[in-house]
Amino acid sequence: MPSFKSFLLAITAVAPGAFASPVPGANSTSVVDAAPQWYSGPWYNFPSMGTWRSFDELYNIHSPYMAMTGSTWGDIEKIRASCLNIGAQYGVDPRIILAMIMQESHGYVGVRTTYSWEGIPTAGLMQCWGCQGYPGRVNLSQQEIDNMVRGGVEHYKGNLRNWGDAMTESCVYPAMREYNSGNVNPNDLSDGRGATPGYVSDVAQRLQGWAD
Ligand SMILES: *[C@@H]1O[C@H](CO)[C@@H](O)[C@H](O)[C@H]1NC(C)=O
Ligand SMILES: *[C@@H]1O[C@H](CO)[C@@H](O)[C@H](O)[C@H]1NC(C)=O
């Protein structure tokens, strides 16, 4: 997570493309440098869904960054299909799935798996607890990529249910906080509660087209 100092440096030296320091991150430790904006406070302080780019635009913006991780274009096309198909199955906007994949793993299909002391994995494209991962591998099958995406979407769907289960700003943003931290301070969605403070703020900006 960005230190307060690097956050200040980033906001005082705003230049396009100057924020990138991509390290595929785990759920509670996703590592990204600060995005151009810092949103905080309750859900209504976060960008309206009307400011999000279309799915196709977001795919075109983010997919070259996925390719930099080592995922092949075959993998990346399958990620696209997974976002659309699994999003439709669970009633989750595929743009959210794509942006959370960028936040969690930068779309690296061979992203690391970490284990809790009990041996439970945090794994896969969406770096979720108890999910499937394929560390170090690329050229995965559609089924393998679906496994990772479905695991993350199931977690997120569970989080959404705690916040009204609708595709509205009042649900999707608090559910992202819960996905990352396990619990939510509704008065400040950038209160990381031990996880990544800027998680929701960063995902919101990825949805608007910020990429790293
Ligand atoms: C992935 O598949 C492509 C196309 O078949 C192949 O050229 C490449 O060597 C494969 N990469 C790995 C790491 O298996
Ligand atoms: C992320 O970590 C938190 C805190 O450890 C946990 O409660 C939550 O379930 C995790 N989320 C996912 C998607 O694994």
Side-chain angles (χ1 to χ4, degrees):
M1 77 186 66
S3 69
F4 187 58
K5 190 169 157 230
S6 70
F7 167 62
L8 284 181
L9 285 174
I11 56 172
T12 53
V14 175
F19 313 105
S21 179
V23 179
N27 172 19
S28 58
T29 56
S30 336
V31 180
V32 287
D33 272 354
Q37 300 291 317
W38 179 262
Y39 295 101
S40 61
W43 64 265
Y44 50 78
N45 284 7
F46 284 71
S48 135
M49 291 174 73
T51 68
W52 297 2
R53 305 286 193 99
S54 72
F55 181 79
D56 286 343
E57 284 173 324
L58 290 174
Y59 178 74
N60 290 337
I61 290 167
H62 292 298
S63 54
Y65 291 89
M66 294 190 186
M68 286 180 210
T69 66
S71 289
T72 66
W73 283 101
D75 294 319
I76 294 166
E77 259 304 315
K78 288 172 186 137
I79 291 174
R80 179 180 194 279
S82 269
C83 289
L84 292 169
N85 294 336
I86 294 172
Q89 276 167 33
Y90 285 84
V92 173
D93 190 319
R95 297 176 296 178
I96 297 176
I97 304 170
L98 185 66
M100 289 175 68
I101 287 172
M102 291 309 293
Q103 183 74 17
E104 295 287 353
S105 62
H106 286 92
Y108 178 39
V109 297
V111 65
R112 71 186 177 183
T113 298
T114 54
Y115 292 90
S116 70
W117 63 270
E118 313 101 303
I120 311 284
T122 291
L125 283 167
M126 299 186 72
Q127 292 286 286
C128 43
W129 172 262
C131 285
Q132 180 100 41
Y134 306 91
R137 287 186 47 205
V138 295
N139 282 341
L140 299 189
S141 69
Q142 186 69 59
Q143 191 185 346
E144 289 168 322
I145 288 178
D146 284 351
N147 287 341
M148 294 192 278
V149 174
R150 186 179 301 105
V153 170
E154 275 175 4
H155 271 271
Y156 183 65
K157 184 69 176 177
N159 303 137
L160 277 170
R161 289 198 183 100
N162 293 332
W163 296 94
D165 200 15
M167 287 294 107
T168 59
E169 294 85 345
S170 63
C171 302
V172 301
Y173 289 133
M176 285 172 199
R177 178 78 275 158
E178 187 175 292
Y179 187 92
N180 178 241
S181 304
N183 60 74
V184 179
N185 170 0
N187 296 319
D188 184 7
L189 299 183
S190 287
D191 174 357
R193 305 224 149 181
T196 307
Y199 189 90
V200 185
S201 180
D202 287 348
V203 174
Q205 287 169 85
R206 294 182 192 286
L207 286 160
Q208 296 180 304
W210 171 65
D212 77 343

